[in-house]
Amino acid sequence: MTTVPPLTSPLPGSGTSAASPLPPSAVAGALRRGAELEREIAAAPDRFRVVTGDRPTGPLHLGHYFGTLHNRVRLQDLGVEVFVLIPDYQALTDRDVVDRLAGTMEGLLLDYLAIGIDPSRSTIFNHSAVPALNQLLLPFLSLVSVAELGRNPTVKDEIAHSRQASVSGLMYTYPVHQAADILFCKGNLVPVGQDQLPHLELTRTIARRFGERYAPVFPQPDALLSAAPLLLGTDGGKMSKSRGNAIALGATADETARLIKGAKTDADRNVSYDPESRPAVSNLVLLAALCRDLDPHDIAEEIGGGGAAMLKRTVTEAVNTRLAPIRARRAEYARDMGYVRSVLRAGNARANEIAERTLEEVREAMGTLR
Ligand code: ATP
Ligand code: MG
Protein backbone atom coordinates (compact mmCIF):
# COMPACT_ATOMS: atom_id res chain seq x y z
CA MET A 1 0.00 0.00 0.00
CA THR A 2 1.29 3.44 -0.95
CA THR A 3 0.43 6.46 1.14
CA VAL A 4 -0.89 9.61 -0.52
CA PRO A 5 1.50 12.55 -0.76
CA PRO A 6 0.98 15.44 1.71
CA LEU A 7 -2.29 17.23 1.07
CA THR A 8 -0.57 19.91 -0.98
CA SER A 9 0.43 17.68 -3.89
CA PRO A 10 -2.11 17.19 -6.68
CA LEU A 11 -3.79 13.83 -7.04
CA PRO A 12 -4.33 12.66 -10.61
CA GLY A 13 -7.28 14.35 -12.20
CA SER A 14 -7.94 16.75 -9.34
CA GLY A 15 -9.04 20.17 -10.50
CA THR A 16 -10.43 19.14 -13.86
CA SER A 17 -13.98 18.16 -12.97
CA ALA A 18 -16.95 19.29 -15.01
CA ALA A 19 -18.37 20.72 -11.75
CA SER A 20 -15.95 23.67 -12.04
CA PRO A 21 -16.47 26.81 -14.14
CA LEU A 22 -12.66 27.38 -14.25
CA PRO A 23 -10.30 26.41 -17.09
CA PRO A 24 -8.12 23.43 -16.06
CA SER A 25 -4.99 25.46 -16.95
CA ALA A 26 -5.74 27.94 -14.12
CA VAL A 27 -5.90 25.07 -11.63
CA ALA A 28 -2.75 23.41 -13.02
CA GLY A 29 -0.86 26.72 -12.74
CA ALA A 30 -1.92 27.16 -9.10
CA LEU A 31 -0.90 23.58 -8.26
CA ARG A 32 2.55 24.15 -9.84
CA ARG A 33 3.03 27.39 -7.88
CA GLY A 34 1.88 25.51 -4.76
CA ALA A 35 4.81 23.09 -5.05
CA GLU A 36 7.26 26.05 -5.13
CA LEU A 37 5.49 27.67 -2.20
CA GLU A 38 5.79 24.50 -0.12
CA ARG A 39 9.58 24.65 -0.51
CA GLU A 40 9.62 28.34 0.47
CA ILE A 41 7.36 27.72 3.50
CA ALA A 42 9.54 24.85 4.73
CA ALA A 43 12.65 27.06 4.45
CA ALA A 44 11.17 30.17 6.11
CA PRO A 45 7.66 29.83 7.63
CA ASP A 46 7.98 33.26 9.26
CA ARG A 47 7.96 34.96 5.83
CA PHE A 48 4.33 33.92 5.39
CA ARG A 49 1.07 35.16 6.80
CA VAL A 50 -1.99 33.04 6.06
CA VAL A 51 -5.49 34.50 5.78
CA THR A 52 -8.49 32.44 4.85
CA GLY A 53 -12.08 31.96 5.92
CA ASP A 54 -15.51 30.47 5.41
CA ARG A 55 -18.81 32.22 4.89
CA PRO A 56 -21.17 31.68 7.83
CA THR A 57 -23.87 30.38 5.53
CA GLY A 58 -24.12 26.91 7.09
CA PRO A 59 -22.09 24.17 8.78
CA LEU A 60 -18.57 23.36 7.56
CA HIS A 61 -18.30 20.19 5.49
CA LEU A 62 -15.81 17.67 4.13
CA GLY A 63 -15.06 19.93 1.13
CA HIS A 64 -13.85 22.57 3.58
CA TYR A 65 -11.89 20.05 5.58
CA PHE A 66 -9.92 18.55 2.72
CA GLY A 67 -9.98 21.69 0.54
CA THR A 68 -8.62 24.20 3.07
CA LEU A 69 -9.08 23.52 6.82
CA HIS A 70 -6.54 20.72 6.94
CA ASN A 71 -3.99 22.98 5.23
CA ARG A 72 -4.60 25.79 7.73
CA VAL A 73 -3.77 23.53 10.67
CA ARG A 74 -0.76 22.08 8.85
CA LEU A 75 0.59 25.60 8.13
CA GLN A 76 -0.08 26.71 11.71
CA ASP A 77 1.86 23.69 12.96
CA LEU A 78 4.75 24.54 10.59
CA GLY A 79 5.06 27.92 12.33
CA VAL A 80 3.19 30.13 9.86
CA GLU A 81 1.03 32.88 11.38
CA VAL A 82 -2.61 32.05 10.54
CA PHE A 83 -5.67 34.34 10.43
CA VAL A 84 -9.06 32.64 10.13
CA LEU A 85 -11.87 34.92 9.09
CA ILE A 86 -15.61 34.48 9.46
CA PRO A 87 -16.78 36.89 6.73
CA ASP A 88 -20.21 37.58 8.16
CA TYR A 89 -21.12 40.41 5.76
CA GLN A 90 -20.51 37.99 2.89
CA ALA A 91 -23.21 35.73 4.24
CA LEU A 92 -25.68 38.32 2.97
CA THR A 93 -24.77 38.02 -0.71
CA ASP A 94 -27.10 35.36 -1.98
CA ARG A 95 -29.56 34.20 0.67
CA ASP A 96 -31.37 35.14 3.83
CA VAL A 97 -29.32 33.79 6.69
CA VAL A 98 -29.35 36.65 9.16
CA ASP A 99 -31.90 35.00 11.42
CA ARG A 100 -29.45 32.18 12.16
CA LEU A 101 -26.14 34.02 11.76
CA ALA A 102 -25.06 33.86 15.44
CA GLY A 103 -25.73 30.11 15.70
CA THR A 104 -23.94 29.41 12.42
CA MET A 105 -20.93 31.44 13.54
CA GLU A 106 -20.75 29.51 16.80
CA GLY A 107 -20.82 26.28 14.79
CA LEU A 108 -17.85 27.50 12.72
CA LEU A 109 -15.92 28.42 15.87
CA LEU A 110 -16.53 24.94 17.26
CA ASP A 111 -15.33 23.35 14.02
CA TYR A 112 -12.15 25.47 13.96
CA LEU A 113 -11.24 24.56 17.53
CA ALA A 114 -12.17 20.90 16.99
CA ILE A 115 -9.93 20.50 13.91
CA GLY A 116 -6.96 21.99 15.76
CA ILE A 117 -6.83 25.74 15.11
CA ASP A 118 -4.99 26.92 18.22
CA PRO A 119 -6.10 30.40 19.42
CA SER A 120 -2.78 30.93 21.19
CA ARG A 121 -1.02 30.81 17.81
CA SER A 122 -3.77 31.74 15.31
CA THR A 123 -6.27 34.59 15.15
CA ILE A 124 -9.97 33.89 14.56
CA PHE A 125 -12.08 36.98 13.79
CA ASN A 126 -15.20 38.17 11.98
CA HIS A 127 -15.00 41.11 9.65
CA SER A 128 -18.09 43.00 10.81
CA ALA A 129 -16.21 43.41 14.13
CA VAL A 130 -13.22 45.06 12.42
CA PRO A 131 -14.37 48.44 11.00
CA ALA A 132 -10.98 49.57 9.66
CA LEU A 133 -10.83 46.42 7.51
CA ASN A 134 -14.14 47.29 5.87
CA GLN A 135 -12.98 50.83 5.11
CA LEU A 136 -10.38 49.40 2.74
CA LEU A 137 -13.26 48.31 0.51
CA LEU A 138 -13.82 51.90 -0.69
CA PRO A 139 -10.42 52.67 -2.21
CA PHE A 140 -10.23 49.08 -3.47
CA LEU A 141 -13.57 49.41 -5.32
CA SER A 142 -12.11 52.34 -7.25
CA LEU A 143 -9.33 50.10 -8.57
CA VAL A 144 -11.55 47.61 -10.45
CA SER A 145 -13.98 48.03 -13.32
CA VAL A 146 -17.60 46.92 -13.40
CA ALA A 147 -16.72 44.73 -16.42
CA GLU A 148 -14.02 42.93 -14.39
CA LEU A 149 -16.51 42.22 -11.60
CA GLY A 150 -19.08 40.90 -14.08
CA ARG A 151 -16.61 38.49 -15.70
CA ASN A 152 -15.72 36.56 -12.50
CA PRO A 153 -16.60 32.90 -13.30
CA THR A 154 -17.10 31.87 -9.65
CA VAL A 155 -19.52 34.73 -8.99
CA LYS A 156 -21.44 33.84 -12.19
CA ASP A 157 -21.63 30.19 -11.06
CA GLU A 158 -22.82 31.20 -7.59
CA ILE A 159 -25.48 33.47 -9.06
CA ALA A 160 -26.66 30.57 -11.23
CA HIS A 161 -27.03 28.37 -8.13
CA SER A 162 -28.49 31.00 -5.80
CA ARG A 163 -32.20 30.84 -5.30
CA GLN A 164 -32.63 34.62 -4.87
CA ALA A 165 -35.14 36.50 -7.04
CA SER A 166 -32.55 39.19 -7.86
CA VAL A 167 -28.79 39.63 -7.58
CA SER A 168 -27.51 42.10 -4.95
CA GLY A 169 -24.70 44.63 -5.43
CA LEU A 170 -22.85 42.85 -2.62
CA MET A 171 -22.81 39.68 -4.71
CA TYR A 172 -20.79 41.40 -7.47
CA THR A 173 -18.47 43.24 -5.08
CA TYR A 174 -17.76 40.52 -2.52
CA PRO A 175 -14.49 39.48 -4.22
CA VAL A 176 -13.27 43.08 -3.64
CA HIS A 177 -14.34 42.81 -0.01
CA GLN A 178 -12.35 39.61 0.10
CA ALA A 179 -9.28 41.54 -1.09
CA ALA A 180 -9.73 43.77 1.99
CA ASP A 181 -10.09 40.66 4.17
CA ILE A 182 -6.72 39.38 2.96
CA LEU A 183 -4.78 42.62 2.57
CA PHE A 184 -5.78 44.31 5.85
CA CYS A 185 -3.10 42.20 7.58
CA LYS A 186 -0.86 41.94 4.50
CA GLY A 187 -1.63 38.24 4.14
CA ASN A 188 0.50 36.62 1.44
CA LEU A 189 -0.69 33.00 1.48
CA VAL A 190 -4.31 31.89 1.10
CA PRO A 191 -5.15 28.16 1.41
CA VAL A 192 -8.39 27.76 -0.57
CA GLY A 193 -10.44 25.51 -2.81
CA GLN A 194 -10.14 26.08 -6.55
CA ASP A 195 -13.38 28.12 -6.77
CA GLN A 196 -11.45 30.91 -5.05
CA LEU A 197 -8.72 31.29 -7.71
CA PRO A 198 -10.46 34.12 -9.64
CA HIS A 199 -10.93 36.02 -6.36
CA LEU A 200 -7.25 35.63 -5.50
CA GLU A 201 -6.34 36.94 -8.94
CA LEU A 202 -8.47 40.01 -8.26
CA THR A 203 -6.80 40.53 -4.86
CA ARG A 204 -3.40 40.43 -6.58
CA THR A 205 -4.61 42.94 -9.17
CA ILE A 206 -5.90 45.30 -6.47
CA ALA A 207 -2.64 45.07 -4.47
CA ARG A 208 -0.63 45.79 -7.65
CA ARG A 209 -2.85 48.68 -8.78
CA PHE A 210 -2.82 50.25 -5.31
CA GLY A 211 0.98 50.15 -5.48
CA GLU A 212 1.03 51.71 -8.95
CA ARG A 213 -1.42 54.48 -8.07
CA TYR A 214 -0.29 55.32 -4.50
CA ALA A 215 2.51 53.35 -2.78
CA PRO A 216 3.50 49.67 -2.48
CA VAL A 217 1.63 49.00 0.77
CA PHE A 218 0.36 45.49 -0.02
CA PRO A 219 1.90 42.13 -1.03
CA GLN A 220 0.41 40.13 -3.91
CA PRO A 221 -0.83 36.98 -2.15
CA ASP A 222 -0.63 33.44 -3.51
CA ALA A 223 -3.39 30.83 -3.42
CA LEU A 224 -2.45 27.46 -1.97
CA LEU A 225 -4.54 24.54 -3.25
CA SER A 226 -4.77 21.19 -1.48
CA ALA A 227 -4.89 17.66 -2.91
CA ALA A 228 -8.68 18.04 -3.04
CA PRO A 229 -9.23 21.49 -4.54
CA LEU A 230 -12.77 20.56 -5.56
CA LEU A 231 -14.50 17.87 -3.55
CA LEU A 232 -17.86 16.92 -5.03
CA GLY A 233 -21.07 16.59 -3.04
CA THR A 234 -23.57 13.74 -2.94
CA ASP A 235 -25.23 15.01 -6.16
CA GLY A 236 -21.99 15.13 -8.18
CA GLY A 237 -21.70 18.97 -8.11
CA LYS A 238 -19.26 21.03 -5.99
CA MET A 239 -19.89 20.19 -2.34
CA SER A 240 -21.37 23.43 -0.97
CA LYS A 241 -23.25 24.52 2.11
CA SER A 242 -25.82 26.11 -0.16
CA ARG A 243 -26.53 23.19 -2.49
CA GLY A 244 -27.93 20.60 -0.05
CA ASN A 245 -25.25 18.09 -1.09
CA ALA A 246 -22.77 18.39 1.79
CA ILE A 247 -21.61 16.12 4.61
CA ALA A 248 -21.07 18.36 7.64
CA LEU A 249 -18.09 17.84 9.94
CA GLY A 250 -20.49 18.02 12.88
CA ALA A 251 -23.02 15.49 11.47
CA THR A 252 -23.65 12.29 13.43
CA ALA A 253 -22.25 8.98 12.21
CA ASP A 254 -25.79 7.88 11.25
CA GLU A 255 -26.52 11.07 9.27
CA THR A 256 -23.19 10.61 7.50
CA ALA A 257 -24.09 7.03 6.57
CA ARG A 258 -27.50 8.12 5.25
CA LEU A 259 -26.01 10.94 3.14
CA ILE A 260 -23.32 8.72 1.63
CA LYS A 261 -25.92 6.03 0.90
CA GLY A 262 -27.78 8.58 -1.23
CA ALA A 263 -24.66 9.74 -3.10
CA LYS A 264 -24.60 9.60 -6.88
CA THR A 265 -22.65 6.73 -8.49
CA ASP A 266 -22.85 5.05 -11.91
CA ALA A 267 -23.96 1.71 -13.39
CA ASP A 268 -20.50 0.09 -13.69
CA ARG A 269 -20.06 -2.44 -10.81
CA ASN A 270 -16.31 -2.38 -11.16
CA VAL A 271 -15.02 0.50 -9.05
CA SER A 272 -12.11 2.47 -10.52
CA TYR A 273 -10.42 5.82 -9.95
CA ASP A 274 -10.87 7.87 -13.11
CA PRO A 275 -11.98 11.43 -12.28
CA GLU A 276 -12.30 12.43 -15.95
CA SER A 277 -14.78 9.80 -17.06
CA ARG A 278 -16.27 8.69 -13.72
CA PRO A 279 -16.35 11.86 -11.56
CA ALA A 280 -18.98 10.74 -9.02
CA VAL A 281 -17.48 7.30 -8.27
CA SER A 282 -13.93 8.71 -8.29
CA ASN A 283 -14.93 11.42 -5.85
CA LEU A 284 -16.15 8.79 -3.38
CA VAL A 285 -12.94 6.81 -3.88
CA LEU A 286 -10.92 10.00 -3.31
CA LEU A 287 -12.88 10.78 -0.15
CA ALA A 288 -12.09 7.37 1.34
CA ALA A 289 -8.43 7.79 0.28
CA LEU A 290 -8.15 11.23 1.89
CA CYS A 291 -9.73 9.97 5.12
CA ARG A 292 -7.40 6.97 5.29
CA ASP A 293 -4.24 8.69 3.95
CA LEU A 294 -4.05 6.21 1.08
CA ASP A 295 -3.70 6.42 -2.68
CA PRO A 296 -7.14 6.47 -4.40
CA HIS A 297 -6.03 3.76 -6.84
CA ASP A 298 -5.42 1.43 -3.88
CA ILE A 299 -8.91 2.13 -2.53
CA ALA A 300 -10.42 1.38 -5.97
CA GLU A 301 -8.47 -1.86 -6.16
CA GLU A 302 -9.57 -2.85 -2.63
CA ILE A 303 -13.23 -2.53 -3.67
CA GLY A 304 -12.80 -3.93 -7.20
CA GLY A 305 -16.06 -5.58 -8.36
CA GLY A 306 -17.82 -4.91 -5.03
CA GLY A 307 -19.97 -2.24 -6.67
CA ALA A 308 -21.53 0.96 -5.33
CA ALA A 309 -22.82 -0.64 -2.11
CA MET A 310 -19.36 -1.74 -1.00
CA LEU A 311 -17.85 1.57 -2.10
CA LYS A 312 -20.35 3.47 0.02
CA ARG A 313 -19.77 1.22 3.04
CA THR A 314 -16.02 1.81 2.71
CA VAL A 315 -16.45 5.58 2.40
CA THR A 316 -18.86 5.76 5.34
CA GLU A 317 -16.50 3.87 7.60
CA ALA A 318 -13.50 5.94 6.46
CA VAL A 319 -15.30 9.28 6.99
CA ASN A 320 -16.75 8.35 10.37
CA THR A 321 -13.41 7.00 11.61
CA ARG A 322 -11.53 10.11 10.44
CA LEU A 323 -14.08 12.50 11.93
CA ALA A 324 -14.71 10.66 15.24
CA PRO A 325 -11.98 12.46 17.25
CA ILE A 326 -12.92 15.82 15.67
CA ARG A 327 -16.58 15.28 16.55
CA ALA A 328 -15.64 14.31 20.13
CA ARG A 329 -13.55 17.47 20.57
CA ARG A 330 -16.37 19.53 19.04
CA ALA A 331 -18.82 18.17 21.64
CA GLU A 332 -16.34 18.97 24.43
CA TYR A 333 -15.90 22.59 23.30
CA ALA A 334 -19.68 22.94 22.94
CA ARG A 335 -19.96 22.43 26.71
CA ASP A 336 -18.08 25.73 27.25
CA MET A 337 -19.54 28.28 24.84
CA GLY A 338 -18.26 31.10 27.11
CA TYR A 339 -14.71 30.08 26.23
CA VAL A 340 -15.59 29.65 22.54
CA ARG A 341 -16.98 33.20 22.32
CA SER A 342 -13.95 34.59 24.18
CA VAL A 343 -11.71 33.17 21.43
CA LEU A 344 -13.53 35.32 18.87
CA ARG A 345 -13.37 38.42 21.10
CA ALA A 346 -9.61 38.08 21.56
CA GLY A 347 -9.15 37.48 17.81
CA ASN A 348 -11.21 40.55 16.97
CA ALA A 349 -9.13 42.72 19.32
CA ARG A 350 -5.94 41.64 17.56
CA ALA A 351 -7.44 42.02 14.07
CA ASN A 352 -8.63 45.54 14.96
CA GLU A 353 -5.13 46.64 16.02
CA ILE A 354 -3.64 45.41 12.76
CA ALA A 355 -6.43 46.86 10.60
CA GLU A 356 -6.05 50.31 12.23
CA ARG A 357 -2.32 50.30 11.48
CA THR A 358 -2.89 49.29 7.84
CA LEU A 359 -5.62 51.89 7.36
CA GLU A 360 -3.20 54.54 8.67
CA GLU A 361 -0.67 53.47 6.01
CA VAL A 362 -3.38 53.59 3.35
CA ARG A 363 -4.43 57.10 4.38
CA GLU A 364 -0.81 58.22 4.26
CA ALA A 365 -0.27 56.63 0.84
CA MET A 366 -3.39 58.34 -0.49
CA GLY A 367 -2.43 61.66 1.08
CA THR A 368 -5.74 62.16 2.89
CA LEU A 369 -5.96 64.72 5.72
CA ARG A 370 -7.12 63.85 9.24
P1 ATP B 1 -21.49 28.54 0.05
O1 ATP B 1 -22.37 27.53 -0.60
O2 ATP B 1 -22.15 29.34 1.11
O3 ATP B 1 -20.69 29.38 -0.94
P2 ATP B 1 -19.21 26.84 0.38
O4 ATP B 1 -19.49 25.44 0.76
O5 ATP B 1 -18.84 27.13 -1.04
O6 ATP B 1 -20.44 27.69 0.87
P3 ATP B 1 -17.35 28.83 1.31
O7 ATP B 1 -17.54 29.45 2.65
O8 ATP B 1 -17.80 29.61 0.12
O9 ATP B 1 -18.06 27.39 1.32
O10 ATP B 1 -15.83 28.43 1.11
C1 ATP B 1 -14.89 28.42 2.18
C2 ATP B 1 -13.58 27.79 1.74
O11 ATP B 1 -13.77 26.40 1.50
C3 ATP B 1 -13.03 28.36 0.42
O12 ATP B 1 -11.61 28.36 0.51
C4 ATP B 1 -13.47 27.36 -0.61
O13 ATP B 1 -12.61 27.34 -1.74
C5 ATP B 1 -13.36 26.04 0.18
N1 ATP B 1 -14.31 25.05 -0.34
C6 ATP B 1 -15.65 25.15 -0.31
N2 ATP B 1 -16.21 24.08 -0.90
C7 ATP B 1 -15.18 23.28 -1.32
C8 ATP B 1 -15.13 22.02 -2.01
N3 ATP B 1 -16.24 21.39 -2.37
N4 ATP B 1 -13.91 21.49 -2.28
C9 ATP B 1 -12.77 22.13 -1.91
N5 ATP B 1 -12.76 23.33 -1.24
C10 ATP B 1 -13.96 23.90 -0.96
MG1 MG C 1 -18.70 29.19 -1.72
Side-chain angles (χ1 to χ4, degrees):
M1 273 197 297
T2 2
T3 51
V4 275
L7 274 175
T8 42
S9 324
L11 290 170
S14 59
T16 53
S17 162
S20 167
L22 301 187
S25 60
V27 181
L31 286 167
R32 264 197 309 279
R33 174 75 186 120
E36 279 169 28
L37 283 166
E38 286 300 333
R39 283 191 288 277
E40 292 173 29
I41 295 163
D46 53 333
R47 282 193 30 234
F48 290 90
R49 187 173 256 189
V50 161
V51 191
T52 181
D54 315 284
R55 301 201 300 162
T57 44
L60 295 182
H61 52 66
L62 287 166
H64 295 118
Y65 186 70
F66 288 113
T68 161
L69 299 177
H70 186 281
N71 250 347
R72 297 177 202 176
V73 177
R74 189 179 62 84
L75 291 164
Q76 168 194 270
D77 294 348
L78 282 173
V80 178
E81 191 177 9
V82 174
F83 286 75
V84 179
L85 163 67
I86 302 179
D88 41 358
Y89 282 141
Q90 284 173 25
L92 312 177
T93 51
D94 57 341
R95 73 204 80 151
D96 304 316
V97 288
V98 189
D99 50 340
R100 43 197 157 83
L101 202 50
T104 307
M105 287 173 64
E106 286 178 351
L108 262 56
L109 288 166
L110 286 173
D111 286 330
Y112 294 150
L113 295 171
I115 61 154
I117 298 286
D118 173 1
S120 71
R121 290 181 286 165
S122 297
T123 303
I124 306 177
F125 68 107
N126 57 310
H127 67 187
S128 75
V130 187
L133 178 161
N134 294 295
Q135 262 207 58
L136 297 178
L137 181 61
L138 297 172
F140 285 3
L141 276 171
S142 76
L143 297 171
V144 293
S145 70
V146 171
E148 278 173 315
L149 295 179
R151 271 201 299 273
N152 186 310
T154 296
V155 173
K156 282 200 220 168
D157 189 51
E158 285 168 344
I159 289 172
H161 283 89
S162 89
R163 289 178 286 273
Q164 298 291 83
S166 63
V167 182
S168 73
L170 189 60
M171 186 76 194
Y172 280 107
T173 51
Y174 91 80
V176 184
H177 207 166
Q178 215 165 294
D181 297 339
I182 296 166
L183 297 178
F184 91 97
C185 70
K186 304 190 183 173
N188 58 0
L189 187 64
V190 191
V192 282
Q194 71 178 49
D195 59 304
Q196 297 294 309
L197 292 178
H199 302 351
L200 246 294
E201 213 34 63
L202 188 72
T203 296
R204 292 169 64 82
T205 301
I206 288 172
R208 194 188 66 246
R209 288 182 188 162
F210 190 94
E212 287 161 1
R213 189 173 295 181
Y214 305 109
V217 172
F218 299 110
Q220 289 188 43
D222 278 297
L224 187 67
L225 295 181
S226 76
L230 178 64
L231 198 74
L232 305 184
T234 49
D235 62 354
K238 172 190 171 299
M239 187 179 284
S240 292
K241 306 181 210 96
S242 49
R243 299 183 193 181
N245 64 359
I247 298 162
L249 298 182
T252 64
D254 286 350
E255 274 161 12
T256 303
R258 186 178 52 74
L259 291 166
I260 293 173
K261 202 166 178 201
K264 193 173 160 181
T265 50
D266 59 33
D268 187 346
R269 264 198 79 72
N270 193 39
V271 171
S272 61
Y273 183 65
D274 183 357
E276 306 295 321
S277 59
R278 303 184 71 189
V281 163
S282 300
N283 186 65
L284 287 173
V285 171
L286 174 63
L287 189 49
L290 290 165
C291 288
R292 289 169 55 185
D293 286 330
L294 293 175
D295 187 297
H297 292 100
D298 290 341
I299 297 280
E301 206 172 298
E302 183 183 308
I303 299 165
M310 185 167 165
L311 172 62
K312 287 178 178 179
R313 272 199 307 278
T314 304
V315 176
T316 302
E317 197 185 321
V319 170
N320 280 335
T321 304
R322 177 74 181 237
L323 293 185
I326 295 176
R327 288 168 171 167
R329 276 196 298 273
R330 196 181 195 281
E332 237 166 81
Y333 281 115
R335 282 197 282 275
D336 190 358
M337 288 312 289
Y339 167 73
V340 172
R341 287 187 208 106
S342 78
V343 165
L344 186 63
R345 268 198 308 281
N348 281 334
R350 176 162 160 67
N352 267 302
E353 268 172 40
I354 296 171
E356 294 286 351
R357 278 204 301 275
T358 303
L359 185 59
E360 226 21 80
E361 277 183 68
V362 164
R363 287 184 181 126
E364 201 168 301
M366 293 172 63
T368 52
L369 286 179
R370 294 253 293 152

